[in-house]
Amino acid sequence: MDDLEFELRDDYIPLCDLLKYCGITETGGMAKQLIDEGMVRVDGEVELRKRAKIRAGQVVTGDGFAIHVA
C-alpha cells in the first residue's frame, strides 16, 4: 500500500484534484471515475462527491493507497 502525505497550501483541496496531484490517477477524469465507482474513502466512509473539500487531518484511502492530508 502506498502511504502518502500531502501538505495543503490552502484551506482545502477538492477530492478529485488530490487524487490527481498525488499520482493515484493520471487525469482528473480518471479520478472522477474512481470516485463515481465508490472506490475512494474519506476518513473511512465512501465518498461519492468528486469535489468534496478535503482538509488537513483527513485521510483518503482506496485500493492500495492512503493519503494523509496535513
Side-chain angles (χ1 to χ4, degrees), residues 6-24:
F6 181 84
E7 189 167 335
L8 281 176
R9 296 181 186 182
D10 294 311
D11 291 338
Y12 67 89
I13 184 170
L15 178 57
C16 59
D17 292 347
L18 177 67
L19 295 175
K20 183 174 68 173
Y21 294 152
C22 288
I24 303 302

Side-chain angles (χ1 to χ4, degrees), residues 22-43:
C22 288
I24 303 302
T25 61
E26 292 181 19
T27 67
M30 290 173 69
K32 291 175 181 177
Q33 183 177 0
L34 198 64
I35 295 165
D36 279 342
E37 292 173 358
M39 303 296 289
V40 179
R41 294 178 176 265
V42 176
D43 294 334

